[in-house]
């Protein structure tokens, strides 16, 4: 039976003002999602119920999945992934490994790992916690799944500088976007991630605000990191962060990828290279005191740098995909 709708109340100085257009839009989207996912109504029934065209209902349902209004979790894990998780924990001394099934398309790896990471973060939030963040595609994909369930006085700390040129999505915005979702204080490292030279980098490091971030990075409740490789699909290639000859030089020096934009070799050692002397970022070697260190990354082309990062960081939590997990299990930690 169609429910009657009350006539909107006119503004009255003695009463609270009506919600703004944005709030009303969010309320309608949430109502549409509730009717569809919780009450099992069809899209046509919902369109009639809320007085919208069916195509708009469909767009709202799609948007509610993308922005985190609706979060769907599969509570049963694939037995092979569970087996890999236990093997990773035993081999590398990891407290918790989370392995996602291999996606149908390689391009979905970052999105899927990010969604699982976001759910893990949301489940492990506490009052007054301080969270240190790296950046990248995988971490950005975690945002829709991160929900603050009433926790307060949280602090988010960006562990590295930002990009000076971007196209569509700025991965260095991850920290303040997450802080906004958590209603948390945010400390940004307001400098480019690569200084033009080592001397400029040292000068930047004397800034009181930057020194405070480095100090806070030694007192983290949770550090959330991802890794980058040197493939044509890497962030460095996409955004042109380094010159081609610099990337070639890093290859020759034995670099397999980076963590917090510091390049490491296959043994998990930060290499001696001029690029590393220009990085405006917290040194990953200084994060081992974090109460919970989370490493999230995947894709077959990142296997070598993920292994190297495990050797360097000894993370408490690893989130990766089935293909990488299988290769890691075959390798001695």
């Amino acid at each position: 039976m169609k429910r009657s709708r009350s006539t909107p109340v006119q503004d009255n100085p003695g009463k609270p003002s009506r919600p703004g257009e944005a709030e009303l839009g969010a309320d309608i989207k949430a109502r549409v999602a509730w009717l569809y996912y919780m009450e099992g109504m069809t899209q046509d029934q919902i369109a009639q119920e809320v007085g919208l065209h069916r195509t708009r209902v469909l767009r709202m349902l799609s948007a509610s999945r993308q922005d985190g209004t609706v979060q769907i979790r599969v509570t049963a894990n694939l037995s092979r992934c569970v087996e890999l998780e236990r093997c990773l924990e035993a081999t590398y001394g990891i407290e918790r490994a989370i392995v996602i099934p291999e996606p149908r398309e390689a391009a979905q790896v970052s999105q899927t790992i990010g969604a699982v990471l976001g759910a893990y973060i949301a489940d492990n939030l506490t009052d007054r916690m301080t969270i240190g963040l790296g950046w990248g595609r995988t971490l950005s994909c975690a945002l829709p799944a991160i929900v603050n369930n009433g926790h307060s006085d949280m602090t988010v700390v960006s562990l590295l500088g930002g990009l000076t040129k971007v196209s569509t999505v700025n991965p260095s915005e991850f920290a303040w976007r997450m802080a906004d979702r958590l209603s948390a204080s945010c400390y940004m490292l307001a400098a480019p991630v690569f200084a033009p030279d080592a001397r400029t980098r040292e000068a930047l490091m004397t800034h009181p605000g930057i020194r405070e971030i480095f100090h806070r990075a030694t007192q983290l409740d949770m550090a959330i990191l991802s890794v980058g490789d040197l493939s044509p699909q890497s962030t460095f290639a996409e955004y042109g962060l380094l010159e081609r000859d610099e990337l070639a030089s890093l290859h020759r020096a034995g670099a397999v990828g980076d963590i917090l934009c510091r390049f490491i070799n296959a043994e998990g050692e930060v290499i001696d290279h001029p690029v590393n002397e220009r990085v405006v970022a917290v040194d990953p070697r200084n994060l081992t005191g974090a109460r919970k260190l989370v490493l999230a990354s995947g894709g077959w082309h990142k296997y070598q740098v993920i292994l190297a990062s495990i050797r360097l960081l000894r993370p408490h939590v690893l989130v990766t995909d089935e293909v990488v997990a299988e290769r890691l299990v075959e390798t001695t930690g």
Side-chain angles (χ1 to χ4, degrees):
M1 183 175 68
K2 187 175 181 180
R3 300 178 184 133
S4 61
R5 298 179 180 82
S6 58
T7 303
V9 178
Q10 300 297 318
D11 289 340
N12 186 313
K15 295 183 179 180
S17 59
R18 290 177 296 173
E21 184 177 343
E23 285 181 286
L24 289 173
D27 284 347
I28 293 173
K29 182 174 67 174
R31 179 169 175 76
V32 165
W34 179 270
L35 292 173
Y36 186 77
Y37 289 103
M38 302 304 293
E39 297 192 20
M41 293 177 65
T42 67
Q43 294 172 11
D44 288 329
Q45 289 172 331
I46 295 170
Q48 184 179 11
E49 171 72 18
V50 299
L52 297 174
H53 195 277
R54 183 177 182 277
T55 56
R56 190 172 179 193
V57 168
L58 185 61
R59 286 198 299 269
M60 284 185 169
L61 290 172
S62 176
S64 68
R65 289 287 304 279
Q66 294 176 6
D67 65 15
T69 300
V70 171
Q71 298 179 35
I72 298 175
R73 300 191 191 183
V74 178
T75 57
N77 295 326
L78 273 67
S79 58
R80 177 55 179 160
C81 289
V82 173
E83 180 184 358
L84 288 169
E85 290 171 353
R86 301 295 84 80
C87 289
L88 288 172
E89 291 164 358
T91 302
Y92 295 96
I94 295 170
E95 290 182 9
R96 183 178 180 191
I98 304 173
V99 177
I100 67 162
E102 180 183 1
R104 289 180 301 169
E105 299 179 11
Q108 296 177 321
V109 171
S110 293
Q111 179 181 349
T112 309
I113 291 178
V116 173
L117 171 65
Y120 173 84
I121 294 170
D123 289 343
N124 288 272
L125 295 174
T126 60
D127 292 340
R128 296 178 294 280
M129 75 183 303
T130 299
I131 306 170
L133 301 175
W135 51 252
R137 292 190 194 97
T138 300
L139 301 193
S140 294
C141 288
L143 283 169
I146 299 174
V147 178
N148 181 6
N149 295 315
H151 298 293
S152 61
D153 297 327
M154 290 183 286
T155 301
V156 168
V157 179
S158 177
L159 299 176
L160 71 173
L163 305 182
T164 56
K165 179 184 177 181
V166 296
S167 51
T168 53
V169 177
N170 185 351
S172 58
E173 294 177 351
F174 174 60
W176 70 258
R177 289 168 66 197
M178 179 169 168
D180 181 60
R181 293 189 72 87
L182 299 179
S183 299
S185 300
C186 186
Y187 288 82
M188 299 291 293
L189 217 166
V193 69
F194 287 110
D197 50 58
R199 185 175 179 179
T200 303
R201 190 259 183 195
E202 292 305 314
L204 288 170
M205 297 300 294
T206 65
H207 189 282
I210 293 179
R211 287 206 310 268
E212 181 179 5
I213 287 177
F214 276 66
H215 172 70
R216 288 180 177 273
T218 66
Q219 303 173 327
L220 298 176
D221 295 298
M222 182 183 293
I224 303 168
L225 309 175
S226 189
V227 300
D229 66 315
L230 293 175
S231 71
Q233 296 81 29
S234 70
T235 301
F236 299 99
E238 179 179 354
Y239 292 99
L241 296 179
L242 296 173
E243 299 295 334
R244 185 173 299 177
D245 60 341
E246 290 177 314
L247 292 172
S249 176
L250 286 163
H251 272 295
R252 291 193 298 270
V256 296
D258 82 286
I259 187 157
L260 292 178
C261 287
R262 272 191 171 77
F263 289 89
I264 59 178
N265 62 22
E267 300 305 315
E269 301 164 335
V270 176
I271 65 173
D272 182 10
H273 193 280
V275 168
N276 279 341
E277 297 174 0
R278 299 195 288 112
V279 179
V280 183
V282 172
D283 192 319
R285 293 168 292 189
N286 295 335
L287 296 176
T288 54
R291 292 180 177 86
K292 192 75 68 178
L293 201 158
V294 182
L295 178 63
S297 195
W300 64 265
H301 55 287
K302 288 189 178 183
Y303 154 72
Q304 198 170 21
V305 66
I306 292 171
L307 174 59
S309 297
I310 292 172
R311 289 169 171 166
L312 171 65
L313 299 170
R314 300 294 176 184
H316 303 95
V317 179
L318 173 67
V319 187
T320 193
D321 65 277
E322 190 175 0
V323 172
V324 170
E326 287 180 341
R327 294 194 64 184
L328 289 172
V329 168
E330 295 169 358
T331 307
T332 302

